[in-house]
Structure formats: C-alpha cells, structure tokens
C-alpha cells in the first residue's frame, strides 16, 4: 500500500441523466485538480433514487453512456475512479452496481449491491427488490495504491460482509450510499465509524447531497473515517467535495496495537464466503 489523496464528491442529483453525467465529470475534474488519486461518486449518481427511474435509466454495461464517459474521464485525468453506482441492466435483471476504473480507463472491478433496501418504518417505505436484483459477490480489488473493497449503502448494516472484506485484508472500503432523512440522522455516522473500527480500515462513504425532490431525499453528510474510527472529513447537506490523505501508517498502527484478526476465536466461530 502507498500513501495517497482521495476525494469524495457529494453531488446534486437531478432527474436528467445527461446533466448528472456532465456534472459528475466537472466534480471529478475539480477533485483531480487538487491531486486526488482516487475519486468517488454517490450511489445511483446518474438517476433519482426511485424504482421507476431505475428502470428508465438502466443501461447495459457494454453500451452504457454513463460508463463510457466515466472511463474516458478517468483516463483523461489519470485517476482511479469509483464512479458511485448506476442501475445496470443484464438480460431481464437490473442491478445497483458500483464500478472501479483505473487510470487507463479500464474497469478493474465491480460490486453489485448484495442487500436490498426493503424497509417499512413509521415515516417511509421503500422496496428496492420490486425492481432490483441482489448481487452475490464480495468485492476486493488489488491496485498499485491499496487493496480496495466496495460495498453499497444498505450493505453497511450487515457486519458479516464487512468481516469477509476484512479477511481479504482490505485497506480502504468505498461505500457509495444514499441514506435518507429518517435513517441518516439515526444511523449513518454510527455505522460508518463502527465498520471502520471493525475492519481497521479507512471507510469512505459518498452520498448524494440533500436535494428536495418528489422521489427520495438523500441524507448527504458524506464522510471519511480512519481505521481508528476518527472522522477525517465530513460534509453537511449541500454539494461538497471532501479530501483526505490516506496513510499506510494509520492502518499498520492500529492493526499492530489491536490485532483483532489474530485474536479472533476461529475455533469457536467463523464467517465464510459461500
């Protein structure tokens, strides 16, 4: 692993795919101009967060205008780009898919959201599985900067997944997410910090900004947390780019002082990937 600078682009998302793509490119260029080597975007950055729009905006990977543009901008800026997530179409299925693109513009990994956001609280109901299909893979990618894992939003509530990413010896976990104004104030920060502590890795959570719309209002408050659980950078409700210097020493320090992987009781319990 190397030390490097990362950027999280909390962006306004509107009901216009082309506008969202162009706006994302402008934010990526801004982040790159500040020497960020990895740049991230929010969950479903090219579409409003609602089932009917997932269907309308879904694209096949091979012919995706969104992905082609993201590959081009990563190549032009010579950065690693975790371009949030988009509705990916494959045969009759639609997935919530996050891609990692390298500085040559090549897709080097992707994560399909594993856990469907099917909730019914006192203040809101959302059934993601009405439209989306869950993914089935734990995603960890080796790069020349770090070992990077990807999860998406609701995946953060399932510690078994994060245990598996930890077993993969990940250095940083990128989480495009779109909590809402109900769950955001209750659990967003707590879960991000807890998962950073659990995995002893950096966690970078990138949300859409809190834009009033008739579909779904994201919580915003994108956040970068270090392996000790300390908040390194955090946004508020409005559009903003967060920056942080990711340091190898922060990871090796906490893992040597509190060696939880060595202290696990694998003779009694174990989390395995099937």
């Amino acid at each position: 692993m190397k030390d490097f600078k990362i950027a999280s682009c909390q962006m306004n998302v509107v009901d216009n795919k082309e506008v969202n793509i162009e706006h994302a490119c402008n934010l990526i260029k801004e982040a790159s101009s500040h020497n960020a080597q990895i740049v991230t975007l929010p969950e479903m950055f090219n579409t409003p967060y609602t089932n009917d729009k997932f269907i309308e905006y879904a694209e096949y990977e091979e012919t995706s205008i969104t992905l082609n543009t993201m590959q081009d901008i990563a190549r032009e800026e010579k950065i690693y780009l975790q371009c949030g997530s988009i509705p990916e179409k494959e045969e009759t299925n639609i997935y919530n898919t996050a891609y990692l693109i390298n500085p040559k513009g090549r897709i080097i990994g992707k994560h399909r959201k594993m856990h469907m956001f099917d909730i019914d609280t006192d203040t809101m109901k959302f059934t993601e599985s009405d439209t989306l299909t869950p993914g089935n893979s734990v995603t960890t990618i080796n790069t020349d900067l770090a070992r990077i894992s990807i999860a998406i939003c609701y995946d953060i509530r399932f510690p078994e997944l994060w245990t598996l990413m930890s077993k993969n010896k990940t250095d940083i976990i990128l989480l495009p997410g779109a909590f809402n104004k109900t769950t955001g104030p209750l659990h967003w920060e707590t879960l991000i910090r807890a998962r950073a502590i659990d995995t002893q890795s950096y966690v970078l959570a990138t949300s859409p900004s809190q834009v009033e719309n008739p579909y779904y209002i994201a919580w915003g408050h994108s956040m970068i947390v270090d392996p000790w659980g300390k908040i390194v950078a955090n946004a508020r409700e409005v559009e903003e780019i967060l920056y942080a210097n990711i340091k190898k020493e922060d990871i090796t320090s906490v893992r040597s002082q509190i060696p939880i992987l060595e202290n696990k009781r694998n003779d009694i319990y174990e989390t395995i990937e099937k």
Side-chain angles (χ1 to χ4, degrees):
M1 180 187 171
K2 302 177 182 177
D3 293 352
F4 59 91
K5 189 173 184 178
I6 197 165
S8 168
C9 299
Q10 177 168 296
M11 66 173 277
N12 296 337
V13 176
V14 298
D15 189 7
N16 185 309
K17 183 190 293 186
E18 289 73 23
V19 169
N20 290 328
I21 293 171
E22 182 179 1
H23 187 45
C25 287
N26 290 335
L27 292 174
I28 292 164
K29 290 177 182 178
E30 175 70 15
S32 177
S33 74
H34 286 78
N35 300 315
Q37 293 165 274
I38 299 179
V39 179
T40 68
L41 296 176
E43 181 181 21
M44 293 296 194
F45 83 91
N46 69 346
T47 174
Y49 205 94
T50 183
N51 280 323
D52 60 337
K53 292 297 178 180
F54 297 160
I55 297 170
E56 178 184 345
Y57 283 31
E59 300 174 333
Y60 291 102
E61 182 176 306
E62 296 78 12
T63 57
S64 170
I65 295 172
T66 305
L67 272 180
N68 286 340
T69 305
M70 293 299 103
Q71 290 176 266
D72 288 344
I73 193 75
R75 186 186 308 110
E76 290 167 9
E77 298 298 323
K78 297 180 174 60
I79 57 167
Y80 284 95
L81 176 60
Q82 198 295 290
C83 51
S85 74
I86 62 172
E88 176 213 358
K89 189 183 296 185
E90 183 181 80
E91 297 179 347
T92 60
N93 295 324
I94 299 175
Y95 299 92
N96 183 343
T97 305
Y99 292 87
L100 183 64
I101 301 167
N102 73 9
K104 294 182 179 180
R106 297 173 184 160
I107 296 170
I108 57 172
K110 73 178 187 181
H111 176 77
R112 288 170 167 168
K113 189 175 185 177
M114 294 177 66
H115 303 92
M116 294 293 90
F117 183 56
D118 293 352
I119 68 162
D120 188 358
T121 71
D122 293 338
T123 55
M124 78 167 298
K125 180 178 181 179
F126 200 103
T127 310
E128 206 169 50
S129 62
D130 283 348
T131 301
L132 301 179
T133 300
N136 298 314
S137 299
V138 180
T139 305
T140 303
I141 305 130
N142 287 318
T143 74
D144 61 353
L145 293 179
R147 190 181 298 241
I148 299 170
S149 291
I150 303 174
I152 300 175
C153 199
Y154 198 53
D155 286 340
I156 200 171
R157 292 186 181 273
F158 299 87
E160 296 84 358
L161 169 61
W162 294 69
T163 297
L164 292 172
M165 292 190 289
S166 180
K167 288 176 71 173
N168 288 342
K169 298 182 179 179
T170 190
D171 300 309
I172 183 168
I173 299 170
L174 306 180
L175 181 87
F179 272 40
N180 54 69
K181 292 171 73 175
T182 297
T183 59
L186 290 172
H187 300 149
W188 176 252
E189 178 184 325
T190 301
L191 284 166
I192 296 167
R193 296 182 70 187
R195 296 297 168 256
I197 294 167
D198 288 345
T199 60
Q200 298 184 316
S201 61
Y202 281 92
V203 176
L204 187 145
T206 307
S207 170
S209 53
Q210 197 176 116
V211 176
E212 295 294 327
N213 65 80
Y215 306 110
Y216 178 101
I217 302 174
W219 175 234
H221 295 81
S222 298
M223 189 173 297
I224 304 172
V225 176
D226 76 8
W228 290 96
K230 178 184 176 182
I231 297 173
V232 178
N234 62 310
R236 298 298 180 184
E237 295 85 2
V238 299
E239 185 171 275
E240 181 179 354
I241 302 177
L242 301 179
Y243 298 96
N245 292 312
I246 305 301
K247 302 175 183 176
K248 179 180 179 180
E249 173 59 25
D250 288 344
I251 297 173
T252 56
S253 175
V254 67
R255 292 180 182 177
S256 64
Q257 293 181 61
I258 310 174
I260 57 175
L261 285 179
E262 296 177 20
N263 296 336
K264 278 183 178 292
R265 289 294 305 276
N266 290 322
D267 57 323
I268 298 175
Y269 55 81
E270 188 171 10
T271 304
I272 61 171
E273 183 176 357
K274 295 182 178 180

